[in-house]
Tab-separated table of all heavy atoms in Angstrom:
chain	number	residue	atom	x	y	z
C	98	LEU	N	6.614	-4.028	-15.923
C	98	LEU	CA	5.223	-4.251	-16.293
C	98	LEU	C	5.089	-4.665	-17.755
C	98	LEU	O	5.721	-4.085	-18.636
C	98	LEU	CB	4.401	-2.980	-16.045
C	98	LEU	CG	4.431	-2.395	-14.634
C	98	LEU	CD1	3.596	-1.137	-14.572
C	98	LEU	CD2	3.968	-3.416	-13.608
C	99	ASP	N	4.276	-5.662	-17.984
C	99	ASP	CA	3.869	-6.061	-19.338
C	99	ASP	C	2.826	-7.161	-19.188
C	99	ASP	O	2.661	-7.737	-18.106
C	99	ASP	CB	5.058	-6.561	-20.162
C	99	ASP	CG	4.835	-6.376	-21.666
C	99	ASP	OD1	3.661	-6.168	-22.078
C	99	ASP	OD2	5.826	-6.446	-22.415
C	100	THR	N	2.120	-7.452	-20.259
C	100	THR	CA	1.117	-8.514	-20.205
C	100	THR	C	1.799	-9.875	-20.076
C	100	THR	O	2.970	-10.046	-20.443
C	100	THR	CB	0.249	-8.516	-21.475
C	100	THR	OG1	1.106	-8.781	-22.611
C	100	THR	CG2	-0.467	-7.192	-21.658
C	101	VAL	N	1.061	-10.849	-19.591
C	101	VAL	CA	1.597	-12.201	-19.480
C	101	VAL	C	2.026	-12.704	-20.856
C	101	VAL	O	3.091	-13.323	-21.017
C	101	VAL	CB	0.553	-13.144	-18.853
C	101	VAL	CG1	1.014	-14.596	-18.938
C	101	VAL	CG2	0.274	-12.753	-17.402
C	102	ALA	N	1.213	-12.431	-21.870
C	102	ALA	CA	1.517	-12.922	-23.216
C	102	ALA	C	2.829	-12.367	-23.756
C	102	ALA	O	3.539	-13.054	-24.496
C	102	ALA	CB	0.372	-12.559	-24.165
C	103	ASN	N	3.162	-11.133	-23.383
C	103	ASN	CA	4.328	-10.470	-23.962
C	103	ASN	C	5.519	-10.357	-23.022
C	103	ASN	O	6.568	-9.843	-23.421
C	103	ASN	CB	3.933	-9.061	-24.425
C	103	ASN	CG	2.916	-9.092	-25.549
C	103	ASN	OD1	2.990	-9.941	-26.428
C	103	ASN	ND2	1.960	-8.177	-25.513
C	104	PHE	N	5.382	-10.839	-21.799
C	104	PHE	CA	6.420	-10.579	-20.801
C	104	PHE	C	7.723	-11.282	-21.168
C	104	PHE	O	7.740	-12.473	-21.509
C	104	PHE	CB	5.975	-11.045	-19.410
C	104	PHE	CG	6.595	-10.254	-18.296
C	104	PHE	CD1	5.968	-9.138	-17.789
C	104	PHE	CD2	7.823	-10.625	-17.772
C	104	PHE	CE1	6.540	-8.403	-16.774
C	104	PHE	CE2	8.402	-9.896	-16.762
C	104	PHE	CZ	7.762	-8.778	-16.252
C	105	ASP	N	8.824	-10.552	-21.092
C	105	ASP	CA	10.145	-11.099	-21.374
C	105	ASP	C	10.586	-11.984	-20.205
C	105	ASP	O	10.611	-11.547	-19.053
C	105	ASP	CB	11.151	-9.959	-21.556
C	105	ASP	CG	12.540	-10.473	-21.815
C	105	ASP	OD1	12.805	-10.929	-22.936
C	105	ASP	OD2	13.359	-10.426	-20.873
C	106	LEU	N	10.924	-13.218	-20.479
C	106	LEU	CA	11.223	-14.171	-19.416
C	106	LEU	C	12.548	-13.877	-18.723
C	106	LEU	O	12.722	-14.215	-17.546
C	106	LEU	CB	11.197	-15.592	-19.952
C	106	LEU	CG	9.821	-16.073	-20.440
C	106	LEU	CD1	9.903	-17.520	-20.903
C	106	LEU	CD2	8.762	-15.917	-19.353
C	107	ASN	N	13.473	-13.242	-19.401
C	107	ASN	CA	14.702	-12.812	-18.732
C	107	ASN	C	14.397	-11.744	-17.685
C	107	ASN	O	14.985	-11.735	-16.596
C	107	ASN	CB	15.715	-12.285	-19.746
C	107	ASN	CG	16.303	-13.386	-20.603
C	107	ASN	OD1	16.501	-14.510	-20.147
C	107	ASN	ND2	16.590	-13.071	-21.863
C	108	THR	N	13.462	-10.865	-18.022
C	108	THR	CA	13.030	-9.855	-17.058
C	108	THR	C	12.307	-10.502	-15.884
C	108	THR	O	12.482	-10.105	-14.727
C	108	THR	CB	12.103	-8.831	-17.739
C	108	THR	OG1	12.807	-8.228	-18.841
C	108	THR	CG2	11.664	-7.742	-16.778
C	109	LEU	N	11.496	-11.524	-16.176
C	109	LEU	CA	10.831	-12.270	-15.106
C	109	LEU	C	11.865	-12.864	-14.152
C	109	LEU	O	11.688	-12.814	-12.915
C	109	LEU	CB	9.964	-13.371	-15.699
C	109	LEU	CG	9.253	-14.283	-14.694
C	109	LEU	CD1	8.251	-13.495	-13.860
C	109	LEU	CD2	8.558	-15.435	-15.425
C	110	ASP	N	12.935	-13.417	-14.701
C	110	ASP	CA	13.981	-13.994	-13.858
C	110	ASP	C	14.613	-12.926	-12.954
C	110	ASP	O	14.952	-13.201	-11.790
C	110	ASP	CB	15.056	-14.648	-14.713
C	110	ASP	CG	14.569	-15.926	-15.392
C	110	ASP	OD1	13.547	-16.485	-14.940
C	110	ASP	OD2	15.202	-16.352	-16.372
C	111	GLN	N	14.779	-11.710	-13.471
C	111	GLN	CA	15.334	-10.620	-12.666
C	111	GLN	C	14.403	-10.282	-11.491
C	111	GLN	O	14.862	-10.057	-10.360
C	111	GLN	CB	15.551	-9.378	-13.531
C	111	GLN	CG	16.623	-9.534	-14.588
C	111	GLN	CD	16.663	-8.357	-15.542
C	111	GLN	OE1	15.998	-7.339	-15.328
C	111	GLN	NE2	17.444	-8.482	-16.603
C	112	ILE	N	13.103	-10.238	-11.771
C	112	ILE	CA	12.130	-9.948	-10.719
C	112	ILE	C	12.150	-11.034	-9.653
C	112	ILE	O	12.148	-10.747	-8.442
C	112	ILE	CB	10.722	-9.799	-11.321
C	112	ILE	CG1	10.640	-8.536	-12.167
C	112	ILE	CG2	9.650	-9.776	-10.224
C	112	ILE	CD1	9.332	-8.389	-12.919
C	113	ILE	N	12.179	-12.274	-10.095
C	113	ILE	CA	12.221	-13.400	-9.148
C	113	ILE	C	13.486	-13.321	-8.299
C	113	ILE	O	13.441	-13.514	-7.076
C	113	ILE	CB	12.146	-14.737	-9.905
C	113	ILE	CG1	10.745	-14.920	-10.516
C	113	ILE	CG2	12.491	-15.901	-8.988
C	113	ILE	CD1	10.639	-16.089	-11.479
C	114	ARG	N	14.607	-13.023	-8.934
C	114	ARG	CA	15.877	-12.996	-8.195
C	114	ARG	C	15.881	-11.898	-7.131
C	114	ARG	O	16.305	-12.133	-5.993
C	114	ARG	CB	17.053	-12.799	-9.156
C	114	ARG	CG	18.388	-12.811	-8.443
C	114	ARG	CD	19.565	-12.939	-9.386
C	114	ARG	NE	20.821	-12.960	-8.633
C	114	ARG	CZ	21.331	-14.047	-8.070
C	114	ARG	NH1	20.714	-15.205	-8.192
C	114	ARG	NH2	22.462	-13.987	-7.387
C	115	THR	N	15.394	-10.723	-7.477
C	115	THR	CA	15.420	-9.610	-6.514
C	115	THR	C	14.288	-9.712	-5.506
C	115	THR	O	14.513	-9.672	-4.286
C	115	THR	CB	15.348	-8.265	-7.248
C	115	THR	OG1	16.476	-8.135	-8.124
C	115	THR	CG2	15.344	-7.114	-6.258
C	116	ASN	N	13.057	-9.844	-5.988
C	116	ASN	CA	11.901	-9.731	-5.101
C	116	ASN	C	11.649	-10.987	-4.275
C	116	ASN	O	11.192	-10.889	-3.136
C	116	ASN	CB	10.656	-9.384	-5.909
C	116	ASN	CG	10.735	-8.019	-6.556
C	116	ASN	OD1	11.748	-7.327	-6.452
C	116	ASN	ND2	9.680	-7.625	-7.228
C	117	ILE	N	11.905	-12.158	-4.853
C	117	ILE	CA	11.657	-13.404	-4.111
C	117	ILE	C	12.945	-13.908	-3.464
C	117	ILE	O	13.023	-14.028	-2.239
C	117	ILE	CB	11.040	-14.481	-5.022
C	117	ILE	CG1	9.708	-13.986	-5.613
C	117	ILE	CG2	10.832	-15.768	-4.223
C	117	ILE	CD1	9.036	-14.981	-6.539
C	118	ARG	N	13.942	-14.206	-4.268
C	118	ARG	CA	15.193	-14.687	-3.684
C	118	ARG	C	15.786	-13.656	-2.725
C	118	ARG	O	16.242	-14.002	-1.623
C	118	ARG	CB	16.201	-15.023	-4.777
C	118	ARG	CG	17.550	-15.517	-4.236
C	118	ARG	CD	18.558	-15.738	-5.368
C	118	ARG	NE	19.886	-15.942	-4.835
C	118	ARG	CZ	20.386	-17.131	-4.473
C	118	ARG	NH1	19.644	-18.221	-4.598
C	118	ARG	NH2	21.611	-17.234	-3.987
C	119	GLY	N	15.776	-12.382	-3.126
C	119	GLY	CA	16.315	-11.328	-2.264
C	119	GLY	C	15.606	-11.268	-0.925
C	119	GLY	O	16.244	-11.170	0.132
C	120	THR	N	14.283	-11.331	-0.947
C	120	THR	CA	13.520	-11.334	0.306
C	120	THR	C	13.881	-12.555	1.141
C	120	THR	O	14.069	-12.458	2.366
C	120	THR	CB	12.012	-11.319	0.006
C	120	THR	OG1	11.688	-10.108	-0.685
C	120	THR	CG2	11.196	-11.395	1.293
C	121	PHE	N	13.976	-13.704	0.503
C	121	PHE	CA	14.297	-14.940	1.229
C	121	PHE	C	15.675	-14.852	1.880
C	121	PHE	O	15.858	-15.214	3.057
C	121	PHE	CB	14.236	-16.139	0.281
C	121	PHE	CG	14.102	-17.461	0.974
C	121	PHE	CD1	12.874	-18.077	1.097
C	121	PHE	CD2	15.222	-18.089	1.523
C	121	PHE	CE1	12.743	-19.297	1.749
C	121	PHE	CE2	15.096	-19.311	2.172
C	121	PHE	CZ	13.859	-19.919	2.284
C	122	VAL	N	16.658	-14.368	1.124
C	122	VAL	CA	18.027	-14.285	1.635
C	122	VAL	C	18.106	-13.316	2.816
C	122	VAL	O	18.729	-13.605	3.849
C	122	VAL	CB	18.997	-13.874	0.512
C	122	VAL	CG1	20.368	-13.533	1.060
C	122	VAL	CG2	19.115	-14.987	-0.527
C	123	VAL	N	17.492	-12.143	2.672
C	123	VAL	CA	17.504	-11.159	3.765
C	123	VAL	C	16.801	-11.714	4.999
C	123	VAL	O	17.280	-11.580	6.131
C	123	VAL	CB	16.855	-9.834	3.309
C	123	VAL	CG1	16.637	-8.896	4.494
C	123	VAL	CG2	17.721	-9.155	2.256
C	124	ASN	N	15.663	-12.373	4.793
C	124	ASN	CA	14.930	-12.942	5.916
C	124	ASN	C	15.683	-14.102	6.560
C	124	ASN	O	15.579	-14.332	7.776
C	124	ASN	CB	13.537	-13.382	5.479
C	124	ASN	CG	12.554	-12.234	5.404
C	124	ASN	OD1	11.587	-12.179	6.144
C	124	ASN	ND2	12.784	-11.296	4.497
C	125	GLN	N	16.432	-14.847	5.772
C	125	GLN	CA	17.225	-15.940	6.318
C	125	GLN	C	18.260	-15.420	7.304
C	125	GLN	O	18.389	-15.939	8.424
C	125	GLN	CB	17.908	-16.698	5.177
C	125	GLN	CG	18.677	-17.934	5.625
C	125	GLN	CD	19.220	-18.710	4.445
C	125	GLN	OE1	20.141	-18.239	3.762
C	125	GLN	NE2	18.650	-19.888	4.177
C	126	GLN	N	18.983	-14.379	6.918
C	126	GLN	CA	19.961	-13.791	7.825
C	126	GLN	C	19.275	-13.139	9.024
C	126	GLN	O	19.761	-13.239	10.164
C	126	GLN	CB	20.823	-12.766	7.087
C	126	GLN	CG	21.835	-13.369	6.138
C	126	GLN	CD	22.854	-14.232	6.856
C	126	GLN	OE1	23.381	-13.869	7.903
C	126	GLN	NE2	23.135	-15.404	6.293
C	127	ALA	N	18.146	-12.489	8.777
C	127	ALA	CA	17.414	-11.863	9.885
C	127	ALA	C	16.957	-12.905	10.892
C	127	ALA	O	17.051	-12.703	12.114
C	127	ALA	CB	16.220	-11.086	9.337
Side-chain angles (χ1 to χ4, degrees):
L98 304 179
D99 206 343
T100 62
V101 171
N103 295 322
F104 209 91
D105 179 75
L106 295 182
N107 289 326
T108 302
L109 177 64
D110 290 342
Q111 293 172 9
I112 291 174
I113 291 170
R114 182 167 181 83
T115 299
N116 295 3
I117 301 179
R118 179 184 169 88
T120 297
F121 199 99
V122 169
V123 170
N124 280 245
Q125 185 175 70
Q126 287 297 316

